[in-house]
Amino acid sequence: MRQWPSLLTVLLFLSPLIAGDVAEKPYNESEERYSSSTVGLLKLLELEMEFIKNLKSYTDLLSAKANTLQDFIDSVDRGTEKSLTEREKYVSNPLNAFGLMRRTHQDWPKWHNYINNTVGRDQLQSLDDILTKAPDSQDMKEALVGMQRIERTYGLQACDLAKGRLQDRQYDTQLSIRDCLALGQHKFQEGDYFRASLWYRMALKHEPEPNAETFNEILGDPLKDLKLNYAKATIIDGLIEELSPGNQSQKIQQVVDVTEEELHKSRAAELDGFVTYLLDQPDDDLAREMAEPALSSYEIGCRGLYPRRTNLVCRYNFTTTPFLRLAPLKMEEVNHDPYIVMYHEVLSENEIEEMKRRSSEMSNGWADMKEENSTKLRDIVCRHCFWSEQSAVRERINRRISDMTGFDFPLTENLQVANYGLGTHFKPHYDYTSDGYETPDVLTLGDRLGTIIFYASDVPQGGATVFPRSRVSILPRKGSSVFWFNLYDDGRPDTRSQHSVCPVIVGDRWTLTKWLHIVPQMFVMPCKPREKS
């Protein structure tokens, strides 16, 4: 049980969270989300670069205008004639008097028009156009969920993330105070009060940023109500631990409902003392207090904690097809039962570049089927497309798949290209028909007998393909592929083929996927009934 200072009895007054000021717009599932792929995030980065380019051009024009006005001021500034006598002497000279009369009659209106003339109209119009392409609130929410997924899946701490430390690697980038605040607000709204308190804490401990005072006038002061929200999240988390479920809701609502005005009427000074007490606690001690729930097999795999397999070998495969006798493939055994293997150096740089060139029209990939009349928002797994254009490269890759698997299928068949984004993942699922999901072409081609995934990029951290039931985890390696069976030889589903994609921490995950159906293999791979393991 946590021991808080006596302020616990006072902190039922705290202000509600700061509401967002961005208007919601109707959510269109088919609309591209920047956060769902690195392709989208690159577009967003380019959009920001365009925004800054126009802003620089606009400020240059403003600066030129300000310099012109300053030149005019310097030319007529009468700062030397300060006394009445000096001013009388000045206007008593007919040259000065006439110049004064002419300037005020002829020049003033023109300078007034110059001042009122808006400079940089084209740049302002461009900025307006760029603003319409900015991420909407749903995209922002998905980015927050992605960050939350990375944090939870890998057990990362706010104190490390905020300072640019991801697992055991330190990066030369840090989250801003507003980044920390946004993550804290999201976790509070999600009911994760302990993590919310940790993110509020990092916002409070953040070093003052350059030009903070000026920026706060435009963007709002991130410190406003921050102490209140930090204390609120901390106390609510304590209430959840200490109160019975029947009393939690009422007490929590009391904390949320009390206003800032009520705080200032009571003991605001005690709040400062309480927050100071909390900030004095070491970050590591607070992180250790977080009772992490029992890890799922999927999370264990994402963290690379499955036990190592033994009796596995790497060898050259030259027996699957006659062609491999001339050009054997490097094959690595990953698991014997169920059978999972990797092939290395089977996708070249040129083929990867061709694949990316053919994937310009990507769409959202979903974790779930669309339910009729459902308003529930589905998780976006990635951005993907089917490589359907006629291409000698695609046919060559399909021929290679046939050599690796021994399976028969038209070499002109499509391949799926996928690119993952900020914290996106694919939850544990099956590739065969199951759980209300029917595989495409199942009536003509049968169910998906096997799956092969090519990795078209390296992923320095995260992004593993995990088989939770088989306790196998495979890290992406550029140019390699992984192959497994989804069905037994007699066509029955093998539940051990359940697999998932872990969130990428750092890297750009590109994959090329091919599903191999059972009907075309009728004479290639005869049915061999066997009992399930």
Side-chain angles (χ1 to χ4, degrees):
M1 177 176 173
R2 295 183 182 170
Q3 301 296 319
W4 301 121
S6 61
L7 186 61
L8 175 60
T9 58
V10 182
L11 290 178
L12 295 177
F13 48 66
L14 300 179
S15 66
L17 288 169
I18 303 169
D21 55 2
V22 179
E24 292 282 345
K25 69 177 184 179
Y27 177 62
N28 179 5
E29 269 202 344
S30 64
E31 185 176 341
E32 179 179 5
R33 299 292 162 193
Y34 293 115
S35 60
S36 64
S37 66
T38 50
V39 170
L41 292 167
L42 269 175
K43 291 179 182 178
L44 186 57
L45 179 60
E46 290 165 2
L47 194 65
E48 184 179 52
M49 292 169 67
E50 186 180 351
F51 184 88
I52 296 301
K53 178 182 176 182
N54 278 275
L55 204 55
K56 285 180 178 178
S57 178
Y58 178 66
T59 54
D60 287 343
L61 291 171
L62 284 180
S63 178
K65 184 173 183 177
N67 290 336
T68 301
L69 292 172
Q70 186 61 53
D71 290 341
F72 167 66
I73 292 170
D74 293 341
S75 69
V76 300
D77 189 7
R78 301 271 65 86
T80 55
E81 289 80 30
K82 296 181 180 179
S83 67
L84 177 59
T85 302
E86 289 174 325
R87 292 197 295 273
E88 285 178 343
K89 181 180 179 181
Y90 176 81
V91 298
S92 65
N93 185 315
L95 302 180
N96 292 335
F98 178 77
L100 175 64
M101 184 62 68
R102 190 206 58 77
R103 287 196 306 272
T104 55
H105 174 70
Q106 291 184 348
D107 294 356
W108 278 14
K110 295 176 182 178
W111 282 112
H112 184 259
N113 289 336
Y114 177 73
I115 293 169
N116 285 333
N117 183 37
T118 303
V119 299
R121 292 183 185 274
D122 292 342
Q123 287 75 15
L124 290 174
Q125 182 60 55
S126 296
L127 291 173
D128 288 342
D129 294 340
I130 292 171
L131 192 59
T132 64
K133 302 174 185 177
D136 59 18
S137 57
Q138 183 60 35
D139 209 351
M140 179 64 189
K141 180 179 179 181
E142 289 175 0
L144 288 165
V145 170
M147 285 293 291
Q148 177 173 278
R149 193 177 288 129
I150 291 172
E151 185 178 349
R152 291 184 177 180
T153 302
Y154 298 100
L156 306 182
Q157 302 298 332
C159 57
D160 292 326
L161 287 168
K163 297 175 182 177
R165 186 170 182 80
L166 302 174
Q167 293 180 318
D168 58 346
R169 303 188 190 183
Q170 179 66 51
Y171 293 89
D172 60 353
T173 184
Q174 295 186 5
L175 294 177
S176 71
I177 184 172
R178 288 182 175 83
D179 294 335
C180 296
L181 178 60
L183 290 164
Q185 301 285 55
H186 175 254
K187 286 173 171 52
F188 192 103
Q189 292 161 3
E190 293 291 306
D192 189 350
Y193 300 109
F194 185 73
R195 282 190 174 88
S197 72
L198 294 180
W199 280 109
Y200 287 143
R201 172 186 179 85
M202 296 316 299
L204 280 167
K205 296 183 71 172
H206 205 288
E207 293 293 328
E209 297 179 327
N211 306 307
E213 187 173 337
T214 303
F215 288 174
N216 290 347
E217 293 179 6
I218 301 169
L219 304 175
D221 187 357
L223 297 177
K224 185 179 184 298
D225 298 331
L226 183 53
K227 288 184 178 180
L228 301 180
N229 293 331
Y230 177 39
K232 180 193 298 184
T234 304
I235 295 305
I236 291 178
D237 180 62
L239 291 173
I240 290 175
E241 288 189 9
E242 297 172 10
L243 297 176
S244 62
N247 294 329
Q248 284 178 5
S249 298
Q250 182 180 2
K251 290 291 187 183
I252 290 173
Q253 197 59 45
Q254 282 181 283
V255 174
V256 172
D257 285 346
V258 180
T259 65
E260 184 179 1
E261 287 74 17
E262 291 172 316
L263 163 68
H264 290 300
K265 290 177 183 177
S266 56
R267 290 142 61 176
E270 293 194 41
L271 174 65
D272 290 334
F274 179 64
V275 170
T276 299
Y277 164 80
L278 293 175
L279 293 176
D280 285 342
Q281 309 306 307
D283 291 334
D284 292 341
D285 288 354
L286 288 176
R288 280 193 289 270
E289 282 190 26
M290 183 170 62
E292 189 173 31
L295 297 179
S296 66
S297 180
Y298 158 71
E299 291 169 325
I300 293 172
C302 289
R303 298 186 188 187
L305 300 178
Y306 289 146
R308 293 180 63 86
R309 293 286 194 272
T310 57
N311 302 322
L312 300 173
V313 299
C314 295
R315 64 176 183 271
Y316 281 100
N317 179 354
F318 53 85
T319 60
T320 305
T321 63
F323 176 74
L324 293 190
R325 296 175 185 174
L326 298 175
L329 296 173
K330 295 179 180 179
M331 190 181 80
E332 175 187 354
E333 294 177 350
V334 176
N335 197 62
H336 288 155
D337 190 22
Y339 181 71
I340 305 172
V341 294
M342 289 189 73
Y343 287 92
H344 297 289
E345 299 176 13
V346 289
L347 201 62
S348 70
E349 289 285 353
N350 289 338
E351 289 167 340
I352 290 171
E353 292 306 312
E354 173 76 2
M355 175 201 79
K356 291 182 178 180
R357 281 196 299 270
R358 302 278 184 164
S359 59
S360 58
E361 299 298 325
M362 303 180 82
S363 60
N364 295 329
W366 310 105
D368 303 294
M369 298 290 286
K370 179 68 174 177
E371 297 180 12
E372 189 175 354
N373 300 323
S374 174
T375 58
K376 180 182 177 182
L377 300 181
R378 296 181 289 170
D379 286 339
I380 297 179
V381 173
C382 60
R383 294 280 292 176
H384 73 132
C385 68
F386 284 91
W387 185 359
S388 57
E389 295 179 60
Q390 184 175 358
S391 166
V393 172
R394 187 193 63 180
E395 292 181 15
R396 187 163 67 243
I397 294 173
N398 274 330
R399 168 64 70 187
R400 199 168 301 140
I401 292 173
S402 181
D403 288 334
M404 286 188 279
T405 62
F407 287 171
D408 189 21
F409 58 90
L411 300 183
T412 56
E413 279 194 2
N414 299 342
L415 298 169
Q416 188 201 59
V417 180
N419 180 232
Y420 291 73
L422 176 56
T424 57
H425 78 146
F426 205 152
K427 65 184 182 181
H429 64 285
Y430 305 99
D431 279 355
Y432 56 74
T433 297
S434 67
D435 301 329
Y437 169 72
E438 185 175 282
T439 61
D441 302 320
V442 67
L443 297 179
T444 55
L445 298 177
D447 221 335
R448 292 169 172 171
L449 174 61
T451 300
I452 187 165
I453 296 177
F454 290 86
Y455 297 113
S457 62
D458 288 317
V459 180
Q461 290 178 267
T465 302
V466 170
F467 295 79
R469 292 176 181 264
S470 302
R471 301 180 70 78
V472 170
S473 179
I474 300 169
L475 293 173
R477 187 180 302 173
K478 189 175 185 179
S480 297
S481 68
V482 58
F483 169 67
W484 71 89
F485 287 97
N486 299 304
L487 309 176
Y488 287 105
D489 292 343
D490 59 2
R492 291 180 299 165
D494 187 347
T495 57
R496 299 172 302 173
S497 68
Q498 185 190 56
H499 58 286
S500 56
V501 177
C502 301
V504 173
I505 303 175
V506 175
D508 184 14
R509 191 182 199 270
W510 282 90
T511 57
L512 191 67
T513 303
K514 174 72 178 175
W515 294 282
L516 302 151
H517 293 264
I518 192 169
V519 169
Q521 320 315 322
M522 187 177 301
F523 300 107
V524 175
M525 193 186 76
C527 175
K528 299 176 182 178
R530 63 172 177 169
E531 294 298 323
K532 294 182 181 180
S533 300

